[in-house]
């Protein structure tokens, strides 16, 4: 049904109920404690109120209470981070209008972004097991001083649990296990972890396995778009012949299910109070993941693909971390050496194209080293660091006849020769406090060098006018900001920061076919240049200690050399026949300028010792200069947020919350990355869902959890998504704490 709220009612309601943090009970901090929260994304532990940059923290208790199916769903449930989905096995976070390769993902201090993180929509965030997270820190705005390239919109830093040592002569043994069921996709998740700790050595191990069947959408349609999001037909193979069948339940998103397993293993050796050694091993793998949005594509009035899926998404990470206290000039030193191996693949076959199962496989190898040191003296804090990341990409492709088994060569997604991309950087970040504690200065600078080389070994498929792409870039970025805290009630902050992102191998050398409706073929462009952002933030916080807190942040980002998809000519041709479809040639190109601005508003109210009211509100607008006029910029989410009432008792915790998105009109859609073909003719309608979740401590070691999401069973999609959200979803979980 059509939402009955007018825009005025939305605004009035949101103005009263906007918040970020839980404000009551065991998983809630007092206002003083909230101000003292330690942030680790600044390389070393620092109080959040000492940092100009806006930062949200999702605590371990909040993660457990959210009981989310994936890390992407966890971010979405906060209401602070917008998340796009092209399939059930995907989640692409959007921060301040930046997405995918322009948002840096970090796990335990190690960059996840690699040389082929694409600018469109990513699914890599789901390879981090949300059930082993100790906390998530979301940094808003450029963070290139600390992290270098890619951190234009912000950083999502995932911190997994650490092994625990024993503080007595007896070894400590603890752990947990849980099982969860959710009805919308018949999800079954099983998790177990164990920790064994001695005086100097500790070991932590976890296992997580999830199975998701096909997702079912809501039954209550928008009045103006009754058929939107339905799946009336699908392709399956009957007796060896591709056949189009009518879906018995058009709310069931056929071929959207998948499974995933995650393993984490950590070792801690602390020979003395000044030295700690960590070994961090992570493995995430999945089944094939159907690309649901492409399975809806039509050609000449019928479904185009018999199959379109990602192969198993493999992520391996091994990281060694050394922590030292009082080492020479520095009070603290941290060294992380890591190695990552990622395997991705794409497989597609057209309807009744038995000789055309196209397989494109990428293997990415990344070695990295970061060294950070912090010096404290008087009222100053100085952090100095250096880092490097070495990327190697192997891209292969072949076409298979599924009836005869014949294999023939195929054009690869990336150049089929050598693909190297290396990052080198050094930085200094400084913090200065005034003697009266009312003023705090943040400032920093970074130098960054990046080299990239790709070669085309077989140029017979497209006959590009080049067989090698090489680039070298040098960038200088920085930040400066000032905090003023005249009293315990008020906190003012203003900051400037620059961001930098070098075009990676995906930007420069990818060959990619967009959806059938858009008929775009993306080809390499060796001439694109790095992107730069120049960001200004102003924020104010007011609090009545223990009763209420209100936060308002306004930001403006000037986006220079923004890389956008635009029409292109290859060998003098503006269109090519690719996979049997005549497609317009596009390539990544630098726009002259773009801009993004917006506001984040939040408030929290403590109604009683056991009752709190929370929520948040986010507005973003972006435009790019093209053809002498401003046009919509890709990836700009609609108004979105969350509002909630939470009760915390001795044994029972319960929360009722509302998630909402405003309209995204079709006139405000950017280029192909916004996927207008998967929206209505007018754009993506506004929606809201009512949800309730509760947990009951049956025993100090046994917790029962239950939730109902999308209580009104609304049928909706989030902006830019080609996959509809779950309908009414019943969730039950049992948690055992050892």
């Amino acid at each position: 049904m059509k939402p009955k709220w007018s825009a005025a009612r939305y605004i009035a309601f949101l103005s009263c109920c906007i918040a970020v943090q839980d404000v009551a009970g065991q998983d809630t901090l007092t206002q003083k404690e909230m101000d003292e929260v330690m942030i680790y994304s600044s390389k070393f532990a620092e109080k959040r109120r000492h940092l100009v940059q806006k930062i949200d923290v999702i605590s371990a208790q909040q993660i457990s209470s959210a009981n989310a199916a994936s890390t992407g769903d966890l971010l979405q449930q906060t209401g602070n981070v917008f998340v796009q989905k092209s399939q059930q096995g995907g989640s692409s976070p959007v921060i301040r209008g930046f997405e995918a390769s322009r948002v840096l993902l970090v796990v335990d201090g190690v960059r996840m972004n690699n040389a082929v993180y694409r600018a469109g929509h990513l699914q890599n965030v789901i390879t981090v097991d949300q059930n082993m997270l100790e906390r998530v820190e979301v940094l808003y705005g450029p963070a290139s001083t600390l992290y270098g390239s890619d951190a234009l919109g912000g950083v999502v830093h995932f911190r997994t649990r650490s092994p625990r040592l024993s503080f007595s002569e007896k070894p400590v043994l603890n752990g947990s296990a849980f099982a969860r069921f959710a009805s919308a996709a018949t999800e079954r998740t099983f998790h177990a972890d164990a920790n064994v700790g001695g005086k100097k050595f500790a070991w932590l191990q976890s296992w997580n396995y999830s199975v998701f069947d096909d997702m079912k959408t809501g039954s209550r349609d928008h009045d103006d778009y009754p058929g939107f999001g339905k799946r009336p037909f699908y392709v399956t193979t009957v007796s060896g012949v591709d056949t189009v069948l009518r879906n018995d339940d058009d709310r069931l998103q056929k071929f959207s299910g998948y499974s995933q397993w995650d393993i984490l293993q950590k070792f801690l050796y602390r020979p003395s109070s000044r030295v700690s050694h960590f070994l961090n091993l992570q493995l995430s793998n999945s089944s094939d993941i159907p690309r649901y949005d492409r399975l809806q594509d039509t050609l000449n009035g019928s479904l185009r693909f018999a199959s379109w899926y990602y192969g198993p998404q493999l992520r391996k990470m091994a990281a060694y971390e050394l922590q030292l206290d009082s080492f020479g000039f520095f009070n603290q030193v941290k060294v992380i050496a890591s190695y990552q191996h990622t395997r991705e693949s794409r497989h597609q076959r057209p309807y009744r194209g038995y000789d055309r199962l196209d397989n494109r496989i990428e293997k990415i190898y990344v070695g990295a080293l970061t060294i950070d040191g912090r010096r404290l003296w008087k009222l100053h804090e100085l952090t100095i660091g250096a880092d490097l990341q070495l990327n190697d990409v192997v891209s292969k492709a072949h076409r298979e006849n599924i009836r005869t088994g014949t294999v023939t060569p195929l054009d690869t997604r990336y150049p089929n020769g050598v693909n190297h991309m290396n990052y080198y950087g050094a930085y200094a970040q400084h913090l200065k406090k005034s003697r009266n504690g009312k003023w705090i200065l943040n400032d920093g600078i970074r130098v960054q060098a990046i080299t990239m080389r790709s070669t085309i070994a077989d140029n017979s498929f497209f006959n590009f006018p080049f067989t090698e792409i090489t680039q070298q870039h040098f960038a200088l970025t920085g930040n400066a900001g000032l905090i003023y805290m005249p009293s315990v009630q008020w906190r003012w902050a203003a900051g400037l920061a620059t961001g930098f992102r070098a075009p990676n191998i995906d930007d420069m050398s990818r060959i990619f076919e967009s959806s059938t409706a858009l008929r775009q073929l993306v080809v390499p462009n060796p001439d694109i240049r790095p992107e730069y952002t120049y960001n200004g933030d102003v924020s104010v916080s007011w609090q009545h200690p223990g009763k209420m807190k209100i936060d308002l942040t306004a930001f403006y980002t000037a986006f220079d050399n923004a890389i956008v998809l635009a029409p292109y000519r290859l060998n003098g041709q503006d269109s090519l026949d690719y996979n049997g479809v005549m497609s317009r040639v596009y390539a990544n190109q630098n726009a002259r300028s773009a801009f993004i601005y917006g506001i984040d508003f939040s408030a929290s109210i403590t109604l009683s010792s056991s009752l709190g009211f929370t929520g948040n509100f986010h507005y973003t607008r972006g435009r790019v200069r093209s053809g002498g006029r401003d046009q919509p910029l890709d990836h700009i989410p609609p108004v979105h947020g969350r509002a909630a009432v939470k009760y915390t008792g001795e044994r029972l915790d319960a929360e009722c919350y509302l998630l909402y998105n405003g309209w995204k009109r079709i006139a405000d859609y950017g280029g192909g990355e916004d996927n207008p073909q998967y929206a209505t003719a007018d754009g993506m309608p506004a929606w809201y869902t009512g949800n309730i979740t509760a947990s009951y401590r049956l025993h100090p070691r046994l917790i029962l959890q239950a939730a109902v999401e999308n209580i009104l069973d609304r049928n909706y999609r989030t902006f830019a998504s080609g996959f509809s959200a779950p309908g009414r979803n019943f969730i039950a979980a049992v948690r055992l704490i050892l």
Side-chain angles (χ1 to χ4, degrees):
M1 292 184 60
K2 184 178 180 179
K4 302 299 183 183
W5 289 0
S6 66
R9 288 183 180 179
Y10 262 122
I11 294 172
F13 174 76
L14 296 173
S15 298
C16 296
C17 66
I18 294 167
V20 171
Q21 298 288 341
D22 289 326
V23 295
Q26 294 182 356
D27 65 334
T28 306
L29 303 172
T30 66
Q31 191 57 60
K32 181 178 179 180
E33 290 171 330
M34 287 170 65
D35 288 339
E36 300 297 318
V37 164
M38 305 304 288
I39 300 299
Y40 297 89
S41 297
S42 58
K43 301 293 187 173
F44 296 96
E46 184 59 72
K47 293 179 181 178
R48 179 166 59 180
R49 67 192 184 105
H50 291 170
L51 301 174
V52 170
Q53 191 167 22
K54 174 179 166 58
I55 302 172
D56 285 334
V57 178
I58 309 173
S59 68
Q61 182 60 46
Q62 289 171 309
I63 293 168
S64 176
S65 298
N67 203 18
S70 71
T71 306
D73 291 343
L74 170 66
L75 294 174
Q76 185 179 41
Q77 285 187 29
T78 67
N80 292 314
V81 180
F82 184 87
V83 176
Q84 181 274 352
K85 284 193 176 185
S86 296
Q87 62 277 336
Q88 185 174 188
S91 290
S92 190
V94 182
I95 300 178
R96 290 190 173 180
F98 291 95
E99 185 182 358
S101 58
R102 294 171 177 137
V103 171
L104 183 65
L105 304 181
V106 180
V107 58
D108 294 329
V110 178
R111 288 172 53 110
M112 293 178 62
N113 292 45
N114 57 47
V116 297
Y117 263 40
R118 54 192 179 274
H121 311 293
L122 286 175
Q123 62 203 53
N124 303 71
V125 70
I126 71 168
T127 66
V128 178
D129 179 11
Q130 78 279 10
N131 297 308
M132 278 305 289
L133 290 175
E134 183 176 81
R135 62 196 282 139
V136 181
E137 297 177 2
V138 182
L139 286 68
Y140 296 85
S144 290
T145 303
L146 289 174
Y147 291 100
S149 183
D150 299 358
L152 296 183
V155 176
V156 183
H157 195 153
F158 304 103
R159 294 185 60 86
T160 60
R161 298 184 205 169
S162 295
R164 297 180 181 179
L165 295 170
S166 173
F167 294 101
S168 66
E169 296 300 324
K170 295 181 179 180
V172 61
L173 174 62
N174 51 43
S176 66
F178 77 84
R180 181 176 61 232
F181 171 83
S183 64
T186 320
E187 176 210 346
R188 291 89 74 198
T189 293
F190 305 94
H191 174 91
D193 61 76
N195 180 89
V196 179
K199 293 283 289 183
K200 295 184 178 182
F201 179 83
W203 166 70
L204 174 66
Q205 175 78 57
S206 78
W207 304 266
N208 198 84
Y209 178 67
S210 296
V211 179
F212 304 90
D213 292 344
D214 294 339
M215 177 72 74
K216 192 169 186 177
T217 66
S219 63
R220 298 185 65 189
D221 294 340
H222 192 290
D223 289 348
D224 296 334
Y225 313 101
F228 179 59
K230 290 184 178 180
R231 177 84 153 134
F233 300 98
Y234 64 93
V235 176
T236 190
T237 302
V238 180
S239 300
V241 178
D242 290 342
T243 307
V244 177
L245 297 181
R246 180 176 292 277
N247 194 355
D248 293 335
D249 183 356
D250 59 12
R251 302 290 179 184
L252 191 65
Q253 299 180 96
K254 294 285 289 186
F255 308 121
S256 61
Y258 75 104
S259 61
Q260 179 172 322
W261 50 98
D262 302 278
I263 300 173
L264 179 144
Q265 195 170 56
K266 281 188 171 183
F267 300 92
L268 166 61
Y269 175 55
R270 185 173 293 164
S272 70
S273 59
R274 294 178 51 193
V275 181
S276 296
H277 303 269
F278 293 87
L279 180 61
N280 185 351
L281 306 174
Q282 297 182 21
L283 169 66
S284 177
N285 203 1
S286 70
S287 65
D288 293 339
I289 300 177
R291 178 71 187 266
Y292 183 80
D293 58 350
R294 293 302 178 85
L295 294 177
Q296 302 173 79
D297 284 358
T298 59
L299 181 63
N300 300 324
S302 62
L303 292 172
R304 178 182 177 188
F305 293 106
S307 61
W308 207 126
Y309 60 92
Y310 292 107
Q313 181 168 268
L314 174 69
R315 181 180 70 89
K316 296 179 181 179
M317 186 186 86
Y320 164 73
E321 180 175 336
L322 171 65
Q323 295 183 6
L324 301 172
D325 291 338
S326 301
F327 183 79
F329 173 78
F330 297 102
N331 300 99
Q332 294 174 282
V333 171
K334 183 186 298 183
V335 179
I336 302 177
S338 64
Y339 172 79
Q340 296 180 81
H341 172 210
T342 302
R343 186 182 188 275
E344 301 176 353
S345 62
R346 296 162 177 82
H347 311 266
Q348 63 188 71
R349 183 174 67 83
Y351 176 63
R352 296 194 174 175
Y354 308 109
D355 62 337
R356 300 188 63 183
L357 175 59
D358 292 350
N359 307 274
R360 293 178 173 87
I361 301 101
E362 276 71 55
K363 296 180 180 179
I364 305 98
Y365 306 92
V366 182
L369 176 67
T370 63
I371 303 173
D372 304 289
R374 181 162 76 164
R375 168 74 174 179
L376 309 175
W377 79 99
K378 296 183 180 179
L379 301 173
H380 297 266
E381 298 178 12
L382 177 64
T383 302
I384 300 174
D387 53 62
L388 65 87
Q389 186 182 50
L390 310 177
N391 287 252
D392 185 27
V393 179
V394 178
S395 187
K396 297 182 178 181
H398 65 273
R399 174 170 288 170
E400 179 183 354
N401 186 314
I402 64 172
R403 288 182 168 173
T404 66
T406 303
V407 174
T408 55
L410 185 68
D411 56 288
T412 54
R413 180 177 174 88
Y414 304 111
N416 50 18
V418 172
N419 294 287
H420 297 311
M421 188 166 188
N422 302 325
Y423 302 75
Y424 312 88
Y427 76 93
Q429 183 71 44
H430 171 247
L431 187 149
K432 167 69 166 61
K433 305 170 188 175
S434 66
R435 294 187 180 277
N436 60 14
K438 294 183 178 182
W439 295 89
I440 299 177
L441 171 69
N442 291 189
D443 59 287
I445 191 170
R446 181 185 185 92
V447 292
Q448 180 86 43
I450 294 177
T451 62
M452 195 274 281
R453 179 172 180 259
S454 288
T455 63
I456 300 173
D458 182 355
N459 197 25
S460 62
F461 290 99
F462 291 96
N463 294 314
F464 292 118
F466 50 85
T467 57
E468 183 177 31
I469 301 174
T470 59
Q471 286 205 354
Q472 295 183 355
H473 303 293
F474 177 85
L476 182 67
T477 57
N479 67 281
L482 194 62
I483 300 169
Y484 177 53
M485 296 179 288
S487 66
V488 69
Q489 286 84 19
W490 290 95
R491 180 183 182 275
W492 298 81
L496 299 172
T498 59
F500 164 79
R501 191 181 82 87
N504 62 19
I505 291 173
D506 184 88
D507 293 309
M508 302 194 67
S509 56
R510 170 186 52 161
I511 301 170
F512 168 73
E513 181 189 23
S514 66
S515 71
T516 311
L518 294 179
R519 301 196 178 199
Q520 294 177 348
L521 174 65
V522 179
V523 299
N525 178 8
D527 298 323
I528 54 176
R529 303 180 304 280
E531 301 175 305
Y532 292 88
T533 57
Y534 307 91
N535 184 81
D537 270 54
V538 177
S539 64
V540 58
S541 300
W542 175 86
Q543 63 174 331
H544 187 297
K547 296 293 183 180
M548 177 186 295
K549 183 177 181 182
I550 297 174
D551 291 290
L552 174 64
T553 300
F555 66 90
Y556 181 92
T557 302
F559 195 3
D560 192 22
N561 281 348
I563 297 175
V564 297
L565 272 179
Y568 190 70
R569 299 183 75 90
L570 179 62
N571 296 326
Q573 296 180 290
D574 62 5
S575 297
L576 291 174
D577 186 301
Y578 187 73
N579 285 337
V581 176
M582 184 59 67
S583 301
R584 183 76 165 87
V585 176
Y586 275 69
N588 283 319
Q589 300 172 58
N590 293 102
R592 290 187 177 180
S593 63
F595 62 88
I596 303 172
Y597 62 85
I599 60 171
D600 303 312
F601 181 54
S602 65
S604 59
I605 304 172
T606 302
L607 302 175
S608 70
S609 60
S610 59
L611 194 64
F613 195 71
T614 68
N616 50 62
F617 171 84
H618 306 274
Y619 168 79
T620 310
R621 181 178 174 83
R623 289 292 186 269
V624 59
R625 177 69 65 174
S626 178
R629 60 190 182 93
D630 291 342
Q631 295 182 354
L633 187 64
D634 283 4
H635 307 290
I636 305 299
V639 168
H640 65 280
R642 183 181 193 267
V645 175
K646 182 160 187 175
Y647 169 81
T648 303
E650 184 176 346
R651 291 196 173 192
L652 175 67
D653 296 341
E655 184 179 43
C656 297
Y657 65 95
L658 176 80
L659 288 173
Y660 58 89
N661 273 205
W663 259 98
K664 181 74 174 186
R665 300 290 179 180
I666 200 70
D668 292 324
Y669 272 59
E673 302 295 0
D674 284 354
N675 292 328
Q677 69 276 20
Y678 300 128
T680 73
D682 302 312
M684 198 65 76
W687 57 266
Y688 64 88
T689 62
N691 315 270
I692 184 169
T693 182
S695 62
Y696 184 76
R697 288 175 288 279
L698 191 65
H699 181 275
R701 297 186 181 275
L702 183 62
I703 300 173
L704 305 180
Q705 290 182 286
V708 184
E709 298 176 344
N710 192 4
I711 295 172
L712 298 179
D713 203 27
R714 295 190 179 279
N715 175 21
Y716 70 97
R717 284 183 178 177
T718 55
F719 159 65
S721 297
F723 180 75
S724 296
R728 187 181 294 117
N729 193 19
F730 295 95
I731 302 171
V734 178
R735 294 180 182 267
L736 178 65
I737 303 172
L738 303 177

